């Protein structure tokens, strides 16, 4: 038996795992577009150019909050059991 593999299997079998994976992916997408937000803040791209990126980033944040709420719900129901 490999304790690391056992640990990974336990984590991956958790009902919160897919939601945490989604959060990680979305946070990476936010990081990948940070430079565009900085360019906008520094006046290097226009409001018109930044608008679709801004909407995309806000959609990522909404999805992150939804996944975090689902994780909290799952943890709360697990504590009650």
């Amino acid at each position: 038996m490999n304790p690391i593999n056992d640990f990974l299997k336990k984590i991956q079998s958790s009902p919160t795992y897919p939601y945490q994976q989604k959060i990680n992916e979305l946070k990476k997408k936010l990081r990948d577009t940070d430079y565009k937000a900085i360019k906008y803040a520094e006046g290097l791209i226009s409001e018109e150019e930044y608008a679709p990126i801004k909407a995309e980033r806000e959609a990522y944040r909404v999805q992150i909050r939804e996944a975090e709420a689902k994780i909290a719900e799952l943890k709360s129901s697990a504590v009650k059991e």
Side-chain angles (χ1 to χ4, degrees), residues 3-21:
I4 294 174
N5 285 342
D6 293 341
F7 178 72
L8 288 174
K9 285 179 185 177
K10 182 178 178 183
I11 289 173
Q12 292 171 343
S13 67
S14 166
T16 63
Y17 182 75
Y19 298 101
Q20 190 58 56
Q21 286 295 102

Side-chain angles (χ1 to χ4, degrees), residues 24-67:
N24 293 341
E25 290 169 17
L26 292 164
K27 285 184 176 182
K28 182 184 181 321
K29 288 181 179 184
L30 281 172
R31 285 190 305 273
D32 290 348
T33 59
D34 279 350
Y35 77 97
K36 293 178 182 180
I38 293 167
K39 280 182 150 186
Y40 173 70
E42 293 178 346
L44 299 174
I45 60 175
S46 70
E47 174 74 33
E48 187 175 275
E49 292 170 305
Y50 185 63
I53 298 157
K54 183 177 179 179
E56 188 176 276
R57 289 171 59 87
E58 182 53 32
Y60 297 153
R61 289 186 194 93
V62 167
Q63 291 176 57
I64 289 169
R65 286 191 295 273
E66 289 170 351

Side-chain angles (χ1 to χ4, degrees), residues 14-17 19-20 23 67-81:
S14 166
T16 63
Y17 182 75
Y19 298 101
Q20 190 58 56
I23 290 168
E68 289 172 338
K70 187 64 178 172
I71 288 172
E73 178 185 316
L74 289 167
K75 286 182 177 181
S76 174
S77 66
V79 169
K80 292 177 185 176
E81 293 175 1

